[in-house]
Amino acid sequence: MTERLKSIVSQISPAKSGLSAITTKNPDDIVITLAVRTPLAKARKGGFKDTPLDGILVKLLKQVNARSNLDPALVEDICVGNVSDAKTAYYTRAAMLGAGFPNTTAGYSVNRFCSSGLKAVQDIANQIATGAIDIGLALGAEHMTAGGDTLERPFFDEILEVPEAGDCMQPMGQTSENVGNDFNITREKQDRYAAESYRRAEVAQKAGWFDDEIVPIQVKIKDPKTGEEKEVTLTKDEGPRYGTTFESLQKIKPAFLPHGDKSHAGNSSQLTDGAAAVLLMKRSKAQELGQPIMAKFVGATVAGLAPRIMGIGPTVAIPKLLTKFNLTLDDIDIIEINEAFASMAVYCLETLKIDHSKMNVRGGAIALGHPLGCTGARQIATGLSECRRQKKKVLLTSMCIGTGMGMAGLFINEQNV
């Protein structure tokens, strides 16, 4: 096997290594030179309610061009992770051209539900590792104002002959109640967890911790009563609800009866609009171009489980990823796990025995929001910013995935450490 082939194989299917091996710097490492995001806005009533998906994309892509100090002609492919809009491939291609990328840059979209942003990063990284491209841009984006991704009809009858296949039709709220009921994740536990997520997000926002990961986005907002438009600049996430307490959450009515009585609007992720972008290339290319290296992308993996308890997906994806690199959770400094629901977040925290002080330090989707396709990329921007703030090295991101999967990604921070 040639040295180049060995390098390619190691990037795609790395042998068991350990902390010292994954923190070693090599020319063929896949690195991140930029990771930024829009503010996260409340769906249907927030800052992006009148800016469609293609509008969000073009505005973020323009920010990437302005901040990357890179000739856009060098970016060979752009991948956008999105869940709810079947026209995302159209919007991706048009938005990139509108943002100043030349027609020689390619573009496409991917959808693996809530991991779509991370899947986009993995896809671009794998293309770079195999030599298909030298530089690529991965985005995650969602405009939940426009509606969700609910099924318009039941599955084909032959599929429904297998009960577990039919479980893929269960609404996400129902799967949350399944987790709470099956594993005795009580309403009290869920509300206490949610209150802490809100508290952390409030602390982080007031302290300005999000400021270096968020780029300002100018939008026009229509007054719903008069129809009058005004131009505003979005700079902060709209999800944090200052002063939220366990006691106030206890007063909220369950949202998913008759499936259960534990999950509700206050301990579930918020409907949100937003996007995030991650620029990737090999270390050698970054050094050649004088690009700042934020982090090394180590790897990512996906795993499946029963659709009816899809929320606990991180508990199968995280051990699988750590095993591939001969790591344990003790080796991880910062952990970002998507809070689709408090039920799954509590289950993951307890089952994996995670130190809560290093998980979702700035709060999670309960407090910040969960723009479905965006989250996998947003977690990277947030996690690397937190690593920089704390001068920590190893970042792990993970999320549950609708229909019963989990995904996890591993990164080495190289900023100020």
Side-chain angles (χ1 to χ4, degrees), residues 239-281:
R241 299 165 181 161
Y242 292 1
T244 299
T245 63
F246 166 73
E247 289 76 18
S248 64
L249 291 172
Q250 285 271 283
K251 298 174 183 177
I252 302 176
K253 294 180 180 180
F256 305 113
L257 296 171
H259 306 297
D261 60 1
K262 303 175 185 67
S263 295
H264 56 77
N267 64 21
S268 304
S269 58
Q270 301 178 37
L271 301 181
T272 311
D273 303 325
V278 180
L279 184 61
L280 300 112
M281 62 191 74

Side-chain angles (χ1 to χ4, degrees), residues 192-210 240-244 334-337 339 349 354-364 367-368 382 386 389-390:
R192 290 195 184 282
Y193 180 93
E196 177 63 9
S197 183
Y198 280 112
R199 187 196 69 79
R200 291 182 181 196
E202 180 177 346
V203 168
Q205 191 170 66
K206 287 180 175 177
W209 294 353
F210 294 113
R241 299 165 181 161
Y242 292 1
T244 299
I334 300 293
I335 300 170
E336 285 282 325
I337 291 183
E339 297 169 356
L349 191 67
I354 296 172
D355 178 353
H356 198 184
S357 69
K358 60 184 182 182
M359 173 178 146
N360 297 359
V361 178
R362 303 179 179 188
L368 300 175
T382 301
E386 183 60 23
R389 187 185 73 85
Q390 290 195 34

Side-chain angles (χ1 to χ4, degrees), residues 349-401:
L349 191 67
E350 293 181 348
T351 301
L352 294 175
K353 296 180 172 56
I354 296 172
D355 178 353
H356 198 184
S357 69
K358 60 184 182 182
M359 173 178 146
N360 297 359
V361 178
R362 303 179 179 188
I366 290 171
L368 300 175
H370 177 26
L372 306 176
C374 167
T375 290
R378 195 279 301 170
Q379 288 179 321
I380 297 168
T382 301
L384 290 179
S385 175
E386 183 60 23
C387 283
R388 179 168 57 246
R389 187 185 73 85
Q390 290 195 34
K391 294 182 169 55
K392 298 294 186 180
K393 260 196 130 132
V394 188
L395 168 67
L396 173 71
T397 69
S398 187
M399 68 290 294
C400 55
I401 305 172

